[in-house]
Amino acid sequence: MLTIALIGRTNVGKSTLFNRILGRAKALTSEIPHTTRDRNVATTVWRGVELRMIDTGGIEEGKAHNAKRKTIEDEIRRQVELAVSDADMLVLVTDVREGVLPGERTISRYLRTLRKPIIVVGNKASTERQRLACQEFSALGLGPVSPVAAITGAGVGDLLDRITSYEPQDPSSKPTTADRKLSASHVEREAPTIATRVAIVGEPNVGKSSLLNAILGREEAIVLPEPFTTRDVHDVDVVIDGRTVTLLDTAGIRRLAARAAKWSGTRLEEIERLAVRRSLAAIERSDVVVLVLDATRPATRHTKHLAQAIADAGRAGLLVVNKADLISNFDPESVIANTHQLFPHLSWAPIIGTSALMGGGTRGILPAALRADAAWHRKLSAETLAAVHGTVKRRIPTAKTSFGRKRSHLIELQQTAITPPTFLLVTRRRIRLPKAIPAIVERAIREHADFEGTPIRIIVKSAKIS
Ligand code: GDP
């Protein structure tokens, strides 16, 4: 069951959409009477996925006779407050014919902080031109916009497909623990509208604070209307390509940098310890980790410790080799080769050379972090998985049956989770497998799909059948 709440200002067509979805999908029940007094709630099924819909707009219209005097923000904020604890997903309904209103822009900043999947719907899009005009709403930073015309039902099926794709692919099959984990993480994490949490980590003096300034100097930093419980007060949001990135613990980075610059000798060791501790905490809260290295200094045990922590936590990541300007003949190829050699457990991480001082390369950091985040959330289609399966089968030796026929060790390959992508390989029992099998599988997966920036986990299990 997936609970979605329709939100949006009055007259955008929430109730029409609500009824249209009920008409489209199969109506199951209308809910317990006393709840409908407060809000319109109904349960329906779309392609085998049970949907519970809350039309928060009904509350406003039914109750508030002075609704006109309220601002759009107040109105939507109230709807969200009512629905947010119940809803797995929010659907923000807008009116294409009116375009983006300032109030919608303000409320979007608030919605981005909620860490709930949000789908923006551009309603009243009856013509091709109006459907194109919908994309204006992607400026709200809440991801792509689904055009619909609730009154005729156009686009509603596509919208329902998009909504229900947050559920497991085949709800009729008995879910395994891993499946349940996958569906939960789908709902929590996969929506492209959720801010990507990026931690910039590294030892003191590598240039984290300078990189942060270079990034914040360029991008639009969002000042949040009020603090939220899921956030640390020192987190800062920036919008890039219409997507929100939350940079974690920005003040901490700056404070430590300032101290490192002032202190020296024995106290430096103390700062290093503190920096590593802060970095470890930031890794825990992050989706993507940017591990900063100093091109002029060899990596110490602290950096190796952080690299290990990123790998252990299964976070997406990238490596930034800063202070490239101080290396007279900075050769990216050899830097990449050397860095990968130093951090073999982050072999999947892209490497970016930067100069925070001159600004070189810094522009690439957040886009690379967003790509890594997308890879971290990637779910392979059945066709791609089958192709990977085929490749792996060809690469590992076959077994002989008692009749002397050759057959594969492999029975099945499934993706059981995302963040990080996790695969289950089912093999035949009683056959000793080459140790390199997980590596062979991982290589095949990476050949078939873009997983740069994310670790991949492979679980090998042998089946009962022999
Ligand atoms: P943090 O402790 O990792 O936050 O490091 P800071 O950002 O405070 O930088 C430490 C020192 O390195 C400062 O003196 C910076 O000016 C200097 N620095 C940072 N990035 C660069 C760079 O790309 N090139 C050069 N030449 N110096 C840099």
Side-chain angles (χ1 to χ4, degrees), residues 115 189 196-201 246 248 279-290 310 313-316 373 376:
R115 302 186 63 70
R189 300 245 199 188
T196 299
R197 300 158 72 83
V198 175
I200 299 177
V201 305
T246 304
L248 303 181
S279 289
L280 291 174
I283 290 170
E284 273 309 307
R285 295 175 55 222
S286 70
D287 301 321
V288 184
V289 185
V290 177
I310 297 167
R315 295 301 190 265
D373 187 47
W376 198 52

Side-chain angles (χ1 to χ4, degrees), residues 412-456:
E412 211 186 341
L413 181 66
Q414 296 171 11
Q415 180 169 2
T416 53
I418 54 172
T419 69
T422 304
F423 295 84
L424 173 69
L425 181 75
V426 185
T427 61
R428 281 180 204 288
R429 198 161 64 141
R430 275 185 270 145
I431 288 173
R432 252 203 265 138
L433 288 164
K435 275 222 181 66
I437 283 225
I440 292 171
V441 177
E442 177 168 347
R443 203 174 74 216
I445 292 170
R446 290 188 187 276
E447 283 167 9
H448 283 273
D450 178 13
F451 280 108
E452 195 184 32
T454 176
I456 289 178

Side-chain angles (χ1 to χ4, degrees), residues 39-54:
R39 51 188 181 188
N40 300 323
V41 183
T43 314
T44 73
V45 174
W46 178 255
R47 294 195 207 283
V49 178
E50 259 189 85
L51 275 181
R52 184 163 165 269
M53 276 203 311
I54 308 172

Side-chain angles (χ1 to χ4, degrees), residues 195-216:
T196 299
R197 300 158 72 83
V198 175
I200 299 177
V201 305
E203 2 179 333
N205 276 321
V206 291
K208 296 180 297 298
S209 180
S210 312
L211 286 169
L212 193 64
N213 290 340
I215 292 169
L216 293 180

Side-chain angles (χ1 to χ4, degrees), residues 198-209 211-212 247-249 253 256 275-286 288-294 302-303 305-310 315-322 346 365:
V198 175
I200 299 177
V201 305
E203 2 179 333
N205 276 321
V206 291
K208 296 180 297 298
S209 180
L211 286 169
L212 193 64
L247 293 164
L248 303 181
D249 189 30
I253 293 173
L256 281 173
V276 170
R277 219 182 312 139
R278 281 209 92 108
S279 289
L280 291 174
I283 290 170
E284 273 309 307
R285 295 175 55 222
S286 70
V288 184
V289 185
V290 177
L291 177 59
V292 185
L293 314 171
D294 183 333
H302 291 303
T303 306
H305 182 174
L306 292 176
Q308 187 66 53
I310 297 167
R315 295 301 190 265
L318 52 129
L319 292 158
V320 164
V321 182
N322 188 38
L346 299 183
I365 296 176

